[in-house]
Amino acid sequence: MTETYNANWHDEPTDYAQTGKLPRIRTAPPESALGSLNITAASADPELLDLPWHIALEEWPTESLAALPRGISRHIVRFAHLGGSVIAVKETSEHVARHEYHMLRKLQRLDVPCVEPVAVITGRTTPDGTELDPVLVTRHLKFSMPYRALFSQTLRRDTLTRLIDAQALLLVRLHLIGFYWGDVSLSNTLFRRDAGAFAAYLVDAETGELYPELSSGQREYDLEIARVNIAGELMDLAEGGLIEEKVDPLATSELIMDSYRRLWTELTARESFELGERWRVNARIRRLNDLGFDVEEYVISTVADGSRIQLQPKVVDAGHHSRRLLRLTGIDAQENQARRLLNDMDAYRADNNNLDVDEEISAHLWVSEVFEPIVRSVPRELGGKLEPAEVVHEVLEHRWYMSERQDRNVPMAEAVQSYLDSELRHRRDEAEIMLTADSRTIGLDGDSSFPDS
């Protein structure tokens, strides 16, 4: 793959395919700093030069920072504004920063849920010439939260279970592509709401490695790391009285083992059935689709006497519903959100006698008559509460419960207004969770003024 860079920024070859290396961008330092910065990035962003790289990250001035909740990290991490987005800056060694940068880029090419790497910056010095640690820069994932930002006084058991299920699904997806994480934990994961569940995104890849395929031993070791780390995280919360008393940290940490193994078995196990039960081939594929996976290829074989059939899914890709929704409507959503919106799209098609209409035309009508009107109904000041697909999902759920309670078919406009007044106005902004100047940082002391999820 060829990487393209602004010619005014680089002094090394730009063809990644030919050199095997990303070009190192030479930039001028801030006037107050000595020496020069070396910035390795996928694309040149001059606004990176406006940040105070000549100051140790722990001492960055408030005006340079974006007040977002941070998870627990062994490194110094700060958030900063970069253009119209927010970046996370982590001080570490040059070797670790470059390894993690390249690993995140590989995971992005493989369509794995993870944060976007922006740059590696080395050559940092203070005005008096003291060397500072290199940094890794990643882009903050909009509408995402560390797990410690999902509670106020106590973390409910059902919310915790949904987080662990999302973590297990992420780990399965990573293992399917041959990625060994090496440091699985809730702290190294970000979570986004996904139609009543959560979608998990990898944040920290510094211990990760990609292999053609993982052995069962590698997978089990990663799973054991997850169990131990999650148990430790939950015990820490329990000591602070931040999870329900009925939650057993050790027993709860075992949930990831069960969730992971159930999903892994469904995705990869060989299934055997009688020759007359060939319908089970399609049933297995439908179950995989319901889990959000596509079967790209499968192997069917018969035993010697021809009386039984064995089915083995060979390659599975995640994002079945997301891809279908994107193909039909252009809407990019999480997997559960996509499943919910597709179900409503199918119901809309049936309710409007559009079953004979081309599916793509019907989908376009649904977008223009259902999805877009709901999104446009959200006032500007509420636009940062939830991402659009989650808002539409919640409106559809809200309308269903209203109709059930009132024993009538509640009009969409009435349901939308009710949802805005009774639900959305009271939600926190999840596009950017801003903290007051005197608030403590979530993730370091566990304090939060946010309502329970």
Side-chain angles (χ1 to χ4, degrees):
M1 176 178 177
T2 300
E3 307 283 345
T4 303
Y5 298 84
N6 187 315
N8 295 325
W9 278 58
H10 65 78
D11 60 3
E12 295 185 10
T14 61
D15 193 335
Y16 177 81
Q18 292 180 3
T19 65
K21 299 179 180 179
L22 286 172
R24 180 168 295 173
I25 303 171
R26 310 292 182 183
T27 70
E31 292 181 1
S32 57
L34 299 176
S36 62
L37 295 178
N38 297 321
I39 302 179
T40 300
S43 60
D45 193 335
E47 291 186 348
L48 278 172
L49 299 179
D50 297 333
L51 293 172
W53 302 117
H54 59 293
I55 301 175
L57 194 56
E58 194 170 17
E59 300 171 2
W60 272 24
T62 303
E63 58 268 21
S64 298
L65 301 177
L68 294 178
R70 298 194 299 270
I72 297 174
S73 173
R74 66 176 66 89
H75 304 286
I76 301 297
V77 179
R78 294 291 183 267
F79 291 104
H81 291 285
L82 182 69
S85 65
V86 175
I87 57 172
V89 184
K90 178 172 74 174
E91 278 186 340
T92 184
S93 68
E94 180 173 357
H95 170 74
V96 169
R98 293 192 182 280
H99 173 79
E100 186 168 5
Y101 174 86
H102 290 294
M103 192 57 60
L104 287 172
R105 283 182 59 76
K106 290 177 182 178
L107 291 177
Q108 279 208 313
R109 294 189 189 105
L110 293 169
D111 200 28
V112 170
C114 65
V115 294
E116 175 192 347
V118 174
V120 173
I121 302 179
T122 61
R124 299 173 62 217
T125 59
T126 64
D128 64 7
T130 302
E131 292 186 0
L132 297 173
D133 289 335
V135 297
L136 170 70
V137 182
T138 57
R139 202 171 306 280
H140 175 65
L141 184 64
K142 197 173 182 181
F143 293 104
S144 69
M145 299 161 286
Y147 78 102
R148 293 177 71 101
L150 287 167
F151 60 93
S152 52
Q153 300 305 313
T154 58
L155 179 63
R156 297 199 304 263
R157 183 165 59 182
D158 60 341
T159 302
L160 181 56
T161 300
R162 286 181 287 152
L163 291 179
I164 291 177
D165 285 343
Q167 181 95 52
L169 175 58
L170 174 62
L171 191 57
V172 166
R173 291 188 62 176
L174 292 169
H175 286 176
L176 285 171
I177 64 163
F179 182 80
Y180 170 77
W181 196 340
D183 195 12
V184 191
S185 69
L186 296 174
S187 298
N188 286 337
T189 311
L190 285 174
F191 297 92
R192 296 175 76 175
R193 296 189 184 278
D194 186 12
F198 290 100
Y201 287 74
L202 179 144
V203 176
D204 193 318
E206 65 179 54
T207 58
E209 295 289 347
L210 265 174
Y211 298 92
E213 185 177 350
L214 294 184
S215 67
S216 59
Q218 287 174 308
R219 292 191 300 103
E220 286 297 320
Y221 190 62
D222 233 2
L223 197 54
E224 177 64 14
I225 291 173
R227 185 189 67 80
V228 172
N229 283 345
I230 291 174
E233 290 166 329
L234 297 186
M235 284 189 283
D236 177 56
L237 295 179
E239 288 180 3
L242 298 172
I243 54 177
E244 293 179 334
E245 292 184 1
K246 60 185 177 181
V247 174
D248 181 341
L250 293 178
T252 304
S253 70
E254 298 284 345
L255 294 177
I256 193 169
M257 312 284 281
D258 298 336
S259 182
Y260 174 95
R261 289 192 174 120
R262 284 197 305 270
L263 184 55
W264 185 266
T265 298
E266 185 64 67
L267 294 174
T268 64
R270 182 184 295 272
E271 184 177 3
S272 180
F273 46 88
E274 298 294 334
L275 191 60
E277 298 178 310
R278 283 172 289 183
W279 56 269
R280 291 176 60 178
V281 174
N282 288 331
R284 176 76 179 275
I285 293 173
R286 283 197 300 272
R287 291 203 306 273
L288 293 174
N289 290 163
D290 287 341
L291 290 170
F293 288 83
D294 279 331
V295 179
E296 183 176 305
E297 183 177 319
Y298 56 88
V299 175
I300 296 179
S301 56
T302 58
V303 297
D305 61 4
S307 62
R308 294 187 66 80
I309 295 177
Q310 290 185 329
L311 171 67
Q312 173 72 64
K314 193 170 183 180
V315 179
V316 289
D317 293 325
H320 170 78
H321 299 96
S322 296
R323 282 192 293 273
R324 182 183 169 216
L325 182 67
L326 187 63
R327 174 178 60 82
L328 289 173
T329 67
I331 298 171
D332 190 3
Q334 305 291 338
E335 184 64 14
N336 288 325
Q337 291 169 349
R339 180 189 290 110
R340 180 67 180 87
L341 298 184
L342 286 167
N343 286 341
D344 191 72
M345 188 187 304
D346 291 339
Y348 170 87
R349 190 179 186 189
D351 292 343
N352 290 274
N353 298 317
N354 289 339
L355 295 178
D356 295 330
V357 177
D358 181 82
E359 184 181 40
E360 293 186 359
I361 295 176
S362 180
H364 174 73
L365 292 172
W366 176 85
V367 170
S368 61
E369 296 181 10
V370 178
F371 186 89
E372 290 180 349
I374 293 175
V375 174
R376 286 197 301 266
S377 298
V378 178
R380 183 183 298 273
E381 67 271 17
L382 303 182
K385 298 287 187 178
L386 294 171
E387 58 185 324
E390 187 71 12
V391 168
V392 174
H393 154 71
E394 293 202 352
V395 166
L396 297 175
E397 292 291 294
H398 186 79
R399 184 191 186 197
W400 188 89
Y401 283 116
M402 280 186 68
S403 299
E404 184 180 48
R405 286 195 306 269
Q406 300 179 21
D407 194 25
R408 68 186 179 97
N409 186 24
V410 175
M412 181 64 77
E414 181 182 341
V416 169
Q417 192 59 52
S418 172
Y419 169 76
L420 294 177
D421 294 337
S422 64
E423 300 288 341
L424 192 61
R425 291 187 187 279
H426 307 289
R427 300 290 292 268
R428 57 182 170 180
D429 285 5
E430 294 185 359
E432 289 188 8
I433 307 173
M434 305 303 294
L435 306 180
T436 57
D438 59 349
S439 293
R440 291 175 291 171
T441 303
I442 298 174
L444 299 181
D445 56 26
D447 182 61
S448 170
S449 59
F450 301 143
D452 196 337
S453 61

